[in-house]
Every structure is written in structure tokens, then in C-alpha cells.
Amino acid sequence: MTFQDLKPKVSEIIARPEQTRDEKLLEICQLLSSSISYYNWVGFYFANHEAKTLHLGPYVGAETDHTVIPFGKGICGQVAESNANFVVPDVSAQDNYIACSFTVKSEIVVPLFVNGQNIGQIDIDSHVIDPFTEEDERFLEFVCEQISKLY
């Protein structure tokens, strides 16, 4: 399924009145994981700005011990501070990477903004080296824009 095919499906999930926000986020994780072959772990982290930590939200994929991540630590923690997309083509070449699993080869993290504030991010791990393109970034920015409507 192409990113263009996925966009209306994401918008449809966001618009459902009968589901909670977390149910919608989990369904988006499931949709992305099942539709894009190299999206092997798809999840959300949400910021606690007072504590300067990220907290794991809904996700699909292997269990993770990383349920709380300090700002600045790992790729997700860096995005919490930089407010910018971060694409890691090869996690083994990244100094500040928090290893989740030996199967993870690459990662992309895109921040989620609500009223100009970075409240969290979508985090995607892949078992493939260097699969993420600018198209992935633009698509995940779209997903985050849609999700921002829930806040």
C-alpha cells in the first residue's frame, strides 16, 4: 500500500467518534506496521515537560523496556529537544542510540506538535538498513498533523 493510499485511512481513524484517543493511536500503529513492510516497530512517546521525560504510549511490535526516556537520551530523547525529524540509516553507527533489539537496523522519529509545542513523537524501527526516504518523513509528518487534531 502506498503512502497516498494510507493517508485517507489515517484520516478515517482520526475521525471516528466511538474510539478513544489511545484506541485510535493503536489502530494507526497497526495500520502502518501491517501496510509498510519495513515498519517493524511503530509506536508513540509522549512528553512530560516538567520531568523532561518521554513516556511510551500505544505501540505495535516487540516489547520494549524503554517505557521512560529522558530528554536528550537516544534518538527519541534527542527529538524531544531538537523538535526536528531524525532519520538513522544505520543504528550501529549512531553514538547516542538506545539499543532495543539486535534486529533493529534503522530508525525514524518524527515529532508531534500541538499548538506549536512538541508533545511527543512517532517512532519507527526497521529490521532493514537505510529504508527511510523523504517520502517516509513527509508521510509521518502528515500522520502527526492528523493526530494533533485529537489534542
Side-chain angles (χ1 to χ4, degrees), residues 3 25 40 135 148:
F3 293 134
L25 293 175
N40 302 114
E135 281 186 84
S148 72

Side-chain angles (χ1 to χ4, degrees), residues 1 3 6 28-43 60-62 106-108 110 122-128 131-141 143:
M1 193 172 299
F3 293 134
L6 288 171
I28 288 169
C29 291
Q30 292 166 336
L31 174 68
L32 299 187
S33 178
S34 66
S35 300
I36 302 170
S37 64
Y38 54 93
Y39 283 18
N40 302 114
W41 190 97
V42 179
V60 170
S106 57
E107 183 174 13
I108 185 171
V110 174
I122 189 168
D123 176 21
I124 298 175
D125 294 342
S126 179
H127 298 165
V128 178
F132 303 114
T133 67
E134 190 173 323
E135 281 186 84
D136 290 276
E137 285 190 75
R138 299 297 83 82
F139 172 68
L140 294 171
E141 288 168 354
V143 170

